[in-house]
Amino acid sequence: MITQEQLERFCANREAGLDIVPGTEDATVMHEAAQEALRVAAAMNTGYHDLDEIRRLFEELTGRSVDDAFRIFPPFTADFGKNIHVGRNVFFNSGCRVQDHGGVFIGDNVLFGHNVVLATLDHDLDPAKRAVLHSAPIRIGNDVWVGANATITKGVTIGDGSVIAAGAVVTRDVPPMTIVGGVPAKVIKSLG
């Protein structure tokens, strides 16, 4: 079982931009936290749970409280769990997947469509170092709508009031009040 100190060090290392290298303490923390995340997600995704139980399970997954307006339609998966930060009135539709090792920071009044993927890790491109993981946070502002089947990659910031079109793959920052779509996502229009 990982300690709070190990967890805090792991998250601080990700914030500092350090890689996750096989055989290190960070790799051990990552794997142990993944087992906990799998356990909690399995509980969340099996059978029916009322809103209070879903919120309780999400709080167990992340180690942080959420407000009464927080909603998830399972299934929902996270492969770390402890580096997800959500604001008020956040909604995840069914099938969302969060890879939060690098940190996922979600503002208030954010809506996620079905099957959204938030991915904060990449493997090294050098085949000899392929098991080394590079991370960077995803930051999603307030009042953002992320459409079904969209993917947001590591290091991306989504500005307040923006819309990510269904199926988009977002690899670059999105300005506030902007609609983006496509693969890779490009600006479709400004909302301001």
Side-chain angles (χ1 to χ4, degrees):
M1 181 122 176
I2 58 176
T3 67
Q4 185 63 31
E5 182 181 332
Q6 287 174 308
L7 182 62
E8 289 171 4
R9 190 167 39 249
F10 179 93
C11 292
N13 287 346
R14 300 302 68 75
E15 192 166 319
L18 299 178
D19 294 337
I20 303 170
V21 179
T24 63
E25 180 184 65
D26 277 351
T28 300
V29 169
M30 179 182 76
H31 290 293
E32 288 187 26
Q35 294 307 302
E36 175 72 7
L38 289 169
R39 183 191 64 75
V40 175
M44 183 186 299
N45 298 330
T46 306
Y48 171 78
H49 302 285
D50 66 23
L51 295 174
D52 290 335
E53 181 66 7
I54 290 289
R55 281 192 294 272
R56 187 197 68 72
L57 286 164
F58 190 82
E59 289 173 344
E60 182 179 348
L61 175 71
T62 64
R64 294 174 182 81
S65 62
V66 294
D67 70 308
D68 289 342
F70 177 83
R71 300 283 188 272
I72 288 180
F73 288 171
F76 176 89
T77 58
D79 61 1
F80 188 71
K82 302 301 185 199
N83 211 358
I84 300 172
H85 311 262
V86 298
R88 300 184 54 76
N89 195 33
V90 170
F91 171 70
F92 287 96
N93 216 324
S94 65
C96 289
R97 299 181 180 278
V98 179
Q99 182 191 60
D100 62 294
H101 298 86
V104 172
F105 301 87
I106 300 167
D108 297 337
N109 307 310
V110 176
L111 305 171
F112 294 96
H114 291 88
N115 303 315
V116 168
V117 174
L118 305 177
T120 66
L121 289 177
D122 280 336
H123 290 274
D124 199 278
L125 295 177
D126 179 348
K129 299 181 199 172
R130 191 65 41 90
V132 173
L133 298 169
H134 310 289
S135 67
I138 292 172
R139 299 182 188 282
I140 299 173
N142 298 322
D143 306 305
V144 171
W145 173 24
V146 181
N149 296 303
T151 298
I152 301 172
T153 62
K154 75 179 181 82
V156 168
T157 297
I158 309 294
D160 292 347
S162 291
V163 176
I164 310 304
V169 176
V170 184
T171 60
R172 294 193 171 114
D173 291 352
V174 176
M177 298 299 292
T178 302
I179 300 174
V180 298
V183 180
K186 293 182 170 59
V187 172
I188 294 173
K189 76 181 224 179
S190 174
L191 296 170

